[in-house]
Amino acid sequence: MMSVLVWNLVVTLLLNLGIFLTNGLTSHNASTRPAVVNIGAIFTFDSTIGRVAKVAIEEAVKDVNANSSVLRGSELRIEMRSSNCSGFLGMVGALQFMESDTVAIVGPQSSVVAHIISHVANELQVPLLSFAATDPTLSNLQFPYFIRSTQSDLHQMTAVSEIIDYYTWREVIAIYIDDDYGRNGVLALDDALAARRCRISYKAGIPPGSESELGYGRSEIMDILVKIALMESRVIVLHVYPDIGFLIFSVARYLGMMEDGYVWIATDWLSSALDSNFPNLSDKMDDMQGVLALRQHTPGSKSFTENFKKLSGGSFGLNSYGLYAYDSVWIIAHALDAFFDQGGVISFSNDSRLSNAGIADLHLDAMSIFNGGKLLLDNILNSDFIGLTGHIKFDSDRSLVNPAYDILNIIGTGFRTVGYWSNSSGLSTLTPENLDSKKVNGSHNQELHSVIWPGEIVTKPRGWVFPNNGKLLKIAVPIRVSYKEFVSQLPGSNFSKGFCIDVFVSAVNLLPYAVPYQFVPFGNGKENPSYTELVRLIAAGVFDGAVGDIAIVTNRTRIVDFTQPYAASGLVVVAPFKKMNTGAWAFLRPFSPTLWAVTAFFFLVVGTVVWILEHRINDEFRGTPKRQIITILWFSLSTLFFAHRENTASTLGRIVLLIWLFVVLIINSSYTASLTSILTVQQLSSPIKGIDTLKKTNDRIGYQVGSFAERYLVDEIGISESRLVPLGTPDAYADALLKGSDKGGVAAIVDERPYVELFLSNQCKFRVVGREFTKSGWGFAFPRDSPLAVDLSTAILTLSENGDLQRIHDKWLIRSGCSTDNSELESDRLHLKSFWGLFLICGIACFVALFIYFCQVFRRFRNIARAAPDSGGAGSRRLQTLLSLIDEKKDPRDKKRQKVERSISNESRDCEIGQDSERR
């Protein structure tokens, strides 16, 4: 009885314990989804972005709480604070949030405030979702709890740089607000432009703050714009806040900087202001005609945009930042839902470092660390849904995927979209969604619709002018001491003249704009200056360009830009020569000794082969040994004149003779042509045949002082620098060549063809030997990406087409004298390499004919050997038989007689067979 009572008591206790544990677990699960979840929002309420964001955030919270599938029983409660674009007030607001168990903060709006309160978020592990802080330096490495729920200016500045590159502008001016937002945005633009060989030529920073705070207003803006108007670039990128931006446009219009020739590109501050306050900005539209502006591309926002007008009471419109603010609330809601599903608990703990810091008077111990901050942060970064702004998903850099921008053109009382930019496809007239649907990924042509530019023009502005600051372009002109026909300095003045100067002046006169320039002499006047050094000074900014006989070579094109070549050039070799008399043995000169020997050898070979093939069947190739040798020699040599009298009877002999006669025809024609040239044209001879001859010898070589020929011969040809002799004048050229290498002179001179042609016009003892072994030209040099180089190239082409360039050449460089002499340097003799193919064909024909002939002889010899009885001395008898077969006279009628006898025999046999059959 007692045992039964004990067991009943145990069972009752276990049942009660089970009920208690079940209730405890149930209450624990319920506690993981609290009734209220607190989040915060911090931004500037009375700003262009803040007014829109406030309404969007409030609407997003309502939509989240109305959707039972998101937080599932928990209410999202938000508390908003205004930072007034102040870093101090923003930090105070963030600290106040930390006292109210806030798990996440939407904002801040300003990049300046974001830099400050991100430190607080890092310490207390509360995620920040900024919908408007676009500063690209807000790095996730420095601020792991900062998450940008909008696009970074890194993408926006890439889009701006691609627009600039698309219109082939190379320099821009940047006007920016001088804070974290403006400075770092312009730095990103500078990097993006540098990747496309463009640059920011001038940066104008404007202090942040209002006019009343800084005393920085219209007059200061006017000073900046007046300075910009005196500069070269006419492409201006404006990266500021709306109030200052509109003031800049107003002053620019007053100064005439919104007229023809200027290009204004505004970042997305302008589109945000227009979208939000469009009806209230009608009086400012006249100040912005022709401006290009960017706007973040938000494809799924049409329905919400219409609803937003009701929410705002029609007092302001919706901009892209309002859409990102709306999506930021939904990012937090989805992340909290995943956080609770993973067992996350909202709990906070005090930071011992704050209580032990000795600053109790500040009451910082009221702030606590969010224990689930890391888990919530991970869920935010794993977001993947479709929001109002498009696909909400973060990449490995914690940036939103698929960044894209609309490109707007301000026209009349509104604006129109002229194209789109996306990170995957660049510039296009199609929306990024259409491009993705067509699976076009960067392979299409970059294009935009036509733009109406300031001044109501549709043609693309040039983007630059010569600075209107009274400064002249410093164009360097080399002071030459030789060949002054190309460029020279007028004594006692800064004026220059010459072929190069006339080409430059004529080209400048064809430009559609004035070019203020002055010639600046370069060199000491004692020797020709180094053109490589001149090019280096242009790259360093000492000169704005150079005009002269400047060769376009590879190492120079790496640091400067050249115009279209206005004169052809290239290195040639000049050497002394001697006139050759024809003489008694002139008839041997057309062929080289090797060719003479091979030709004579083949005459004998062909004669011998034909004799072998014809000896058995042709009486003309038979007789005594002496007569047969004479026949071979006579026949082979007489084919030279096609005067051979012997007929060939064999098929193989005729084939060999036909091929040989063709070879003789070619050799005979070549010999006749070469000999005719030798006897009728004055021949000049030089031991130097070209650059290859100079490479093989150790003779000294001359070059012009300042020319690139020195480095080319050393670096490219491989000639020792000790062999090179610098020469400064044409007289020095002549003296060195006449002395020769052995007597302290040079064996040859390597120089550019224009100089050589001028030198040879009055020096009749020297000639160009060999071929031109480099191809280049002369051009005018300018700094990299100089627009003047492009325009002058077009002008030079015009001069060439209308004949002016040739007339300038004839004016300065046409000279009479021995340069028109009909004498020519001795051409190379005809060598075996020119005819080896013919000899090869003839040799193969001879070999094949002999092979076939001897095969026929050995087959007959084998038949005879089989029929003969074996006896002593068979070896010597067989050799005699073989020789007799080769030497015996074969009657061509034997074949015909054998055919007749064989036919009669066959007929007799047929008759006998017929008679036998009749008897049977």
Side-chain angles (χ1 to χ4, degrees), residues 515-795:
V515 180
Y517 65 90
Q518 63 176 346
F519 290 135
V520 180
F522 174 73
N524 56 20
K526 298 179 181 179
E527 62 179 7
N528 294 331
S530 171
Y531 284 39
T532 301
E533 177 65 15
L534 173 59
V535 169
R536 190 192 65 79
L537 293 176
I538 295 173
V542 177
F543 298 115
D544 298 313
V547 173
D549 45 341
I550 306 172
I552 304 173
V553 293
T554 303
N555 61 340
R556 295 175 182 173
T557 58
R558 293 192 180 104
I559 57 176
V560 298
D561 282 348
F562 283 92
T563 62
Q564 173 80 14
Y566 61 88
S569 181
L571 293 179
V572 294
V573 178
V574 179
F577 67 93
K578 63 179 180 179
K579 294 184 178 181
M580 296 181 61
N581 297 322
T582 55
W585 302 99
F587 68 91
L588 294 177
R589 282 166 48 193
F591 288 174
S592 65
T594 304
L595 182 56
W596 277 119
V598 171
T599 303
F601 172 75
F602 263 84
F603 270 108
L604 297 178
V605 168
V606 171
T608 303
V609 169
V610 172
W611 175 83
I612 293 173
L613 298 175
E614 297 290 324
H615 176 69
R616 297 182 62 238
I617 62 176
N618 194 336
D619 290 336
E620 293 181 345
F621 289 88
R622 298 184 64 83
T624 63
K626 178 180 178 181
R627 182 173 180 271
Q628 293 185 50
I629 292 174
I630 294 174
T631 299
I632 292 174
L633 294 176
W634 168 253
F635 176 81
S636 59
L637 294 177
S638 62
T639 56
L640 178 62
F641 310 102
F642 304 97
H644 52 285
R645 295 176 299 177
E646 294 79 7
N647 294 320
T648 52
S650 67
T651 302
L652 294 176
R654 290 172 180 174
I655 293 174
V656 171
L657 182 60
L658 179 63
I659 295 175
W660 173 243
L661 290 177
F662 177 73
V663 174
V664 169
L665 175 63
I666 300 300
I667 294 176
N668 197 359
S669 301
S670 302
Y671 176 85
T672 303
S674 180
L675 183 61
T676 301
S677 175
I678 291 173
L679 297 177
T680 58
V681 179
Q682 175 65 57
Q683 297 294 304
L684 309 177
S685 175
S686 172
I688 306 297
K689 303 301 181 183
I691 191 64
D692 293 332
T693 306
L694 295 177
K695 289 171 61 177
K696 298 175 183 177
T697 65
N698 292 320
D699 294 335
R700 288 153 55 94
I701 304 170
Y703 68 92
Q704 184 180 175
V705 175
S707 171
F708 76 96
E710 176 188 11
R711 299 314 315 167
Y712 185 87
L713 292 174
V714 174
D715 299 336
E716 303 296 333
I717 304 299
I719 294 176
S720 173
E721 195 168 357
S722 61
R723 294 175 54 194
L724 302 181
V725 179
L727 302 171
T729 64
D731 292 338
Y733 279 24
D735 293 342
L737 288 172
L738 290 175
K739 288 182 180 178
S741 180
D742 296 335
K743 298 181 180 179
V746 296
I749 291 175
V750 175
D751 205 350
E752 296 178 69
R753 181 172 287 278
Y755 302 124
V756 170
E757 290 176 349
L758 206 57
F759 170 70
L760 296 179
S761 64
N762 53 17
Q763 293 289 343
C764 303
K765 300 179 180 180
F766 316 105
R767 284 291 184 273
V768 174
V769 294
R771 294 188 299 269
E772 187 176 293
F773 57 93
T774 66
K775 293 290 184 182
S776 62
W778 289 352
F780 306 131
F782 293 94
R784 293 297 296 270
D785 302 318
S786 170
L788 189 58
V790 178
D791 292 346
L792 278 178
S793 295
T794 304

Side-chain angles (χ1 to χ4, degrees), residues 383-450:
S383 298
D384 190 357
F385 65 95
I386 302 299
L388 294 182
T389 58
H391 189 189
I392 303 299
K393 185 178 181 180
F394 296 94
D395 59 19
S396 58
D397 294 330
R398 297 189 178 186
S399 299
L400 288 176
V401 297
N402 305 326
Y405 287 86
D406 303 338
I407 302 172
L408 311 177
N409 184 203
I410 312 300
I411 304 171
T413 59
F415 53 83
R416 69 186 183 99
T417 302
V418 296
Y420 304 89
W421 176 90
S422 67
N423 195 37
S424 60
S425 57
L427 300 175
S428 174
T429 54
L430 299 176
T431 63
E433 299 80 41
N434 289 337
L435 286 176
D436 291 340
S437 64
K438 295 180 180 181
K439 298 182 179 180
V440 178
N441 187 12
S443 60
H444 70 289
N445 293 327
Q446 304 287 293
E447 59 179 350
L448 295 174
H449 291 302
S450 61

Side-chain angles (χ1 to χ4, degrees), residues 873-891:
S876 60
R877 188 179 298 108
R878 288 185 178 183
L879 179 59
Q880 292 176 0
T881 303
L882 176 60
L883 293 178
S884 64
L885 283 175
I886 295 175
D887 187 60
E888 74 174 354
K889 175 72 170 63
K890 180 180 179 182
D891 190 352

